[in-house]
Amino acid sequence: MGSSTSLVPKSVTAAINAHGFGYFGCPHTFGQVGYRLKRTEQYIRVKPDNSSVVTDGVKHSMNPFCEIAVEEAVKLKEKKLIKEVVAVSCGPQQVQETIRTALAMGADRGIHVEVTGKDYETLGPLQVSKIMAALAKKEEAQLVILGKQAIDDDCNQTGQMTAALLDWPQGTFASELSLEGDKIKVVREIDGGLETIKINTPAVVTADLRLNTPRYATLPNIMKAKKKKIANVKPADLGVDITSRLEVLRVDEPPQRQAGMKVETVDDLVGKLKEAGMV
Amino acid sequence: TVILEILSLENKLTDQQKEFQQLARKFAREEIVPAAATYDRTGEYPVPIIKKAWELGLMNGHIPQEYGGMGLSIFDNCLITEELAYGCTGVQTAIEANSLGQMPVILAGSDAQKSKYLGRMTEEPLMCAYCVTEPGAGSDVSGIKTRAVKMGDEYVVNGQKMWITNGGKANWYFLLARSNPDPKCPAGKAFTGFIVEADTPGIQIGRKEMNMGQRCSDTRGITFEDVRIPKENVLITEGAGFKIAMGAFDNTRPPVAAGATGLAQRALDEATTYALERKTFGKVIAEHQAVSFLLAEMAMKVELARMAYQRSAWEVDQGRRNTYYASIAKAFAGDIANQVATDAVQVFGGNGFNSEYPVEKLMRDAKIYQIYEGTAQIQRLIIAREHLGRYKK
């Protein structure tokens, strides 16, 4: 996980999760700079000591839900409903690339919260939420928009925890967002369908898939983004203790898919399922 | 020291170059790749893709900033070109033809001409074309017969051009015509370069030609019948055309080589993925040496083609004459694109021959890289001349 996208209306902070996703059912259990498998590259593998997955040489890119969050923030600014978009990411030097992408998409400035080495490996949603909360207060943010979850660990916690730490209302799994005066109307995707809520600002919102389609950064905007500033901070500067309370005991690949078996009739199928103790 | 500079350059793209490359890569994989097979089948000009590429700034990269462009280096342009070509060289050629048409104006145009004809390309997604080849003269540019006769303040042009990429879509053409009818006049003085608005009366655009590959690219014959061109549209001066037309190539051959490299990379990727999935004789075919050796040689060729185009782009960006390197890059990349695409079909076996699999298109698309922008044979003439010239000094 590492970081989440948060947008702040007057000063919108978008924290970008440089996350990726692993194919082939590899479990992700901890915050990482995300990795994204390309079809033509290697599969995600678990390290021989079962401590984590191999990240060397795996391409990392912005978490897709964070892209959607950045896009939403930029759209709000284009509609002149918010003043500034700040993109935030936590992690080692490489996350600056991801912040630059957000700047090229239209964010005004970036904040790189430097977390490296072992600290980075154990950085989890709780720690990031503390960082986001501290930054949101410092920047006097009105709205924090994050991706709903990172696709490498699928934690789906940072947004909620950030709101709790700040004691702000939250609109999670947003598929639609509109500002109405000093309130925010959020249409949330829930199991039963869609739920519409209205929350006060300042608030935390997490972006779901259908919120928007992120734009490509155009070449001229990539060039302009070079002039935008990325500030550097450390968690300690924000008074945040990022010690983890979690210890990862083991990481395993999912079991190999076994061959199936064919049956002739539905009764046979039910019989086999009963034999296997499944019904 | 030159080697060290180049090696460090190739290993370390600047952050901005990486971002350009990533944008082009993302665009190619998400927008071009899914649509390429359909455009190849129908031959339809890929207007939506071109429009989107234009909006993202992936086109017209050579246009200087003073005229609304981004003034990218040839190297940066090549990075983008390779990525787009990976998606589909038909689409990429349509885009690249703009660069070829614009290059004479960028190199030789007056400020007024640049403002007018380059400026408009950055204001809307327009296409342009490089109008030199004729039915009777391709490699032998000095053999072109299209005539330009000065009459008062205009030139009247008559003749036939052929195989003009973007011929049916261009807003304007760079045209090369013979202005001095005396057969004894040397080539360096006998031709004039013009900028011609495509809607000038007398221009007849031929039918879209159905080609072997890069089928969505628009290639046509164009007839000029008493076409009047104002003298303001002459580049530099009467008789200066040949050098302008040829000088453009030092800047456009590196991107063409990059395009061929993109195609080869795509062929290599497709073949490799397939070889890791297809099983025969109890193992994936990539584990059979015959196949892995094929892939190894394909990889060698792709890497070397990339280094070749990067060198040629870098040389011209440093302000040096890069003809030798540009010809080497174009010749090599064109040749290996064909070899690698053919080998990719081979790796796919029977499936490779079939249109449901992506590699037969690559093989058809690759062929033109040994023909346009100077044939493989012309490149060898140039390389030999340049090479021998170094020894004679």
Side-chain angles (χ1 to χ4, degrees):
Chain A
M1 14 138 309
S3 42
S4 36
T5 329
S6 59
L7 298 164
V8 174
K10 285 227 182 108
S11 158
V12 174
T13 317
I16 305 144
N17 233 334
H19 268 281
F21 49 94
Y23 285 114
F24 312 112
C26 214
H28 323 292
T29 57
F30 45 86
Q32 282 275 348
V33 169
Y35 39 85
R36 178 179 141 200
L37 278 181
K38 295 160 129 185
R39 236 170 38 92
T40 56
E41 283 182 328
Q42 78 277 21
Y43 298 68
I44 291 287
R45 287 168 289 122
V46 177
K47 285 187 186 160
D49 63 359
N50 292 97
S51 61
S52 62
V53 296
V54 177
T55 54
D56 275 347
V58 185
K59 181 108 181 49
H60 292 58
S61 57
M62 193 191 294
N63 186 40
F65 294 112
C66 298
E67 267 182 6
I68 296 173
V70 173
E71 172 68 22
E72 196 63 21
V74 173
K75 276 168 72 168
L76 287 173
K77 193 180 104 157
E78 284 171 347
K79 290 189 203 151
K80 303 216 196 316
L81 296 169
I82 61 173
K83 266 179 50 189
E84 193 191 24
V85 178
V86 180
V88 174
S89 194
C90 308
Q93 188 62 18
Q94 293 92 303
V95 304
Q96 291 211 4
E97 270 177 47
T98 329
I99 299 178
R100 290 246 167 258
T101 307
L103 295 175
M105 284 171 72
D108 297 295
R109 57 187 167 92
I111 300 177
H112 171 205
V113 181
E114 217 179 305
V115 180
T116 55
K118 257 286 153 225
D119 285 337
Y120 188 63
E121 281 175 39
T122 56
L123 194 68
L126 181 56
Q127 290 80 6
V128 174
S129 312
K130 289 184 190 172
I131 294 172
M132 290 308 306
L135 272 174
K137 286 208 200 102
K138 183 160 174 266
E139 296 281 335
E140 291 176 350
Q142 291 295 297
L143 177 58
V144 172
I145 309 185
L146 295 80
K148 68 169 180 182
Q149 65 199 58
I151 57 179
D152 58 5
D153 59 20
D154 285 331
C155 280
N156 192 341
Q157 296 168 17
T158 308
Q160 292 86 336
M161 285 183 180
T162 307
L165 288 169
L166 288 165
D167 198 24
W168 286 5
Q170 55 184 268
T172 53
F173 309 105
S175 67
E176 231 181 276
L177 179 67
S178 49
L179 268 51
E180 298 183 358
D182 60 351
K183 299 205 198 301
I184 303 179
K185 190 169 103 178
V186 181
V187 177
R188 307 180 55 233
E189 296 205 11
I190 61 175
D191 286 344
L194 297 173
E195 180 195 47
T196 308
I197 61 172
K198 217 181 230 180
I199 54 179
N200 295 328
T201 55
V204 173
V205 170
T206 71
D208 208 327
L209 188 64
R210 278 158 278 273
L211 183 57
N212 60 49
T213 306
R215 66 194 64 191
Y216 292 101
T218 69
L219 227 84
N221 283 342
I222 290 174
M223 285 173 79
K224 287 193 201 131
K226 275 180 75 179
K227 305 201 184 92
K228 296 183 182 176
K229 294 216 174 358
I230 300 180
N232 244 312
V233 286
K234 295 203 172 42
D237 299 338
L238 301 167
V240 172
D241 172 19
I242 56 169
T243 332
S244 176
R245 279 121 137 162
L246 292 178
E247 186 193 337
V248 173
L249 297 176
R250 224 189 129 79
V251 174
D252 284 300
E253 279 187 16
Q256 288 274 21
R257 194 182 155 149
Q258 301 294 323
M261 69 178 110
K262 275 187 173 169
V263 293
E264 295 293 305
T265 69
V266 174
D267 287 332
D268 284 348
L269 176 61
V270 175
K272 285 261 187 281
L273 288 172
K274 281 192 174 149
E275 258 173 48
M278 295 194 184
V279 284
Chain B
T1 47
V2 162
I3 306 287
L4 287 175
E5 271 184 73
I6 298 170
L7 287 177
S8 66
L9 173 96
E10 282 161 356
N11 291 329
K12 251 178 36 166
L13 295 181
T14 64
D15 283 339
Q16 185 174 269
Q17 284 172 329
K18 276 191 220 146
E19 284 178 64
F20 288 170
Q21 189 185 49
Q22 269 170 30
L23 170 64
R25 184 168 298 183
K26 185 170 185 210
F27 180 77
R29 310 290 164 109
E30 291 179 15
E31 306 282 337
I32 302 180
V33 167
T38 309
Y39 279 115
D40 177 61
R41 231 179 351 261
T42 62
E44 193 191 327
Y45 197 67
V47 175
I49 298 181
I50 291 177
K51 189 155 177 285
K52 209 148 183 202
W54 181 87
E55 282 165 8
L56 294 178
L58 293 170
M59 267 172 69
N60 303 328
H62 303 282
I63 295 180
Q65 291 187 356
E66 313 83 281
Y67 304 102
M70 294 210 296
L72 297 183
S73 65
I74 302 289
F75 190 95
D76 288 357
N77 270 300
C78 285
L79 288 180
I80 295 169
T81 302
E82 186 192 331
E83 297 298 331
L84 297 181
Y86 184 103
C88 173
T89 47
V91 171
Q92 204 285 315
T93 291
I95 292 174
E96 191 60 34
N98 264 21
S99 299
L100 183 56
Q102 291 160 11
M103 202 53 77
V105 180
I106 292 171
L107 295 175
S110 68
D111 186 56
Q113 290 166 334
K114 286 184 196 177
S115 281
K116 186 168 179 189
Y117 291 101
L118 300 179
R120 64 170 73 162
M121 307 298 284
T122 61
E123 282 159 25
E124 339 166 24
L126 298 174
M127 310 307 286
C128 65
Y130 181 91
C131 221
V132 170
T133 299
E134 296 183 357
S139 292
D140 184 14
V141 175
S142 60
I144 63 169
K145 301 243 178 312
T146 300
R147 275 285 280 126
V149 179
K150 185 121 192 278
M151 289 192 175
D153 282 343
E154 293 175 325
Y155 286 82
V156 179
V157 174
N158 280 280
Q160 269 239 303
K161 295 294 184 185
M162 191 59 190
W163 308 126
I164 307 304
T165 305
N166 282 344
K169 309 288 174 189
N171 174 268
W172 56 267
Y173 306 113
F174 164 74
L175 172 73
L176 191 70
R178 192 170 185 114
S179 40
N180 189 322
D182 181 0
K184 293 208 201 78
C185 179
K189 298 201 180 127
F191 299 92
T192 304
F194 300 92
I195 305 170
V196 187
E197 303 265 5
D199 59 3
T200 310
I203 294 181
Q204 286 152 44
I205 297 174
R207 64 166 188 215
K208 176 189 156 79
E209 295 294 336
M210 307 305 285
N211 290 327
M212 175 179 163
Q214 298 193 9
R215 289 165 40 90
C216 69
S217 173
D218 183 85
T219 319
R220 304 198 188 223
I222 304 183
T223 307
F224 291 78
E225 200 177 310
D226 289 334
V227 175
R228 297 172 175 277
I229 306 174
K231 69 178 201 292
E232 290 73 31
N233 281 25
V234 169
L235 282 167
I236 302 184
T237 187
E238 190 179 309
F242 191 81
K243 270 183 98 175
I244 299 172
M246 296 297 104
F249 289 139
D250 284 346
N251 291 280
T252 56
R253 276 176 187 155
V256 172
T261 307
L263 184 152
Q265 180 69 60
R266 175 82 186 273
L268 176 58
D269 284 356
E270 296 287 352
T272 309
T273 306
Y274 185 83
L276 288 169
E277 287 169 359
R278 175 84 178 181
K279 275 194 161 145
T280 192
F281 298 109
K283 41 188 174 174
V284 291
I285 63 173
E287 286 177 30
H288 295 292
Q289 271 187 349
V291 174
S292 70
F293 279 17
L294 259 184
L295 293 172
E297 284 169 19
M298 288 158 77
M300 284 157 66
K301 290 167 183 171
V302 172
E303 293 297 334
L304 293 172
R306 185 169 295 125
M307 288 173 76
Y309 86 65
Q310 289 186 341
R311 173 71 186 265
S312 69
W314 182 76
E315 287 286 333
V316 74
D317 286 338
Q318 299 302 301
R320 294 195 280 268
R321 188 166 171 277
N322 72 332
T323 312
Y324 174 72
Y325 294 104
S327 282
I328 286 178
K330 199 272 174 182
F332 187 76
D335 288 350
I336 65 102
N338 277 272
Q339 292 160 20
V340 172
T342 308
D343 287 343
V345 172
Q346 192 66 19
V347 169
F348 272 72
N351 287 339
F353 197 67
N354 177 269
S355 53
E356 296 271 310
Y357 292 81
V359 285
E360 59 82 25
K361 172 179 179 289
L362 299 177
M363 195 173 154
R364 287 184 288 108
D365 286 346
K367 188 57 197 161
I368 193 67
Y369 278 108
Q370 287 176 310
I371 301 173
Y372 66 19
E373 285 268 352
T375 62
Q377 289 67 35
I378 288 291
Q379 302 303 338
R380 282 158 170 79
L381 270 180
I382 297 171
I383 296 165
R385 181 193 71 207
E386 296 287 315
H387 169 71
L388 291 169
R390 293 171 165 206
Y391 281 69
K392 286 174 188 165
K393 280 214 194 90

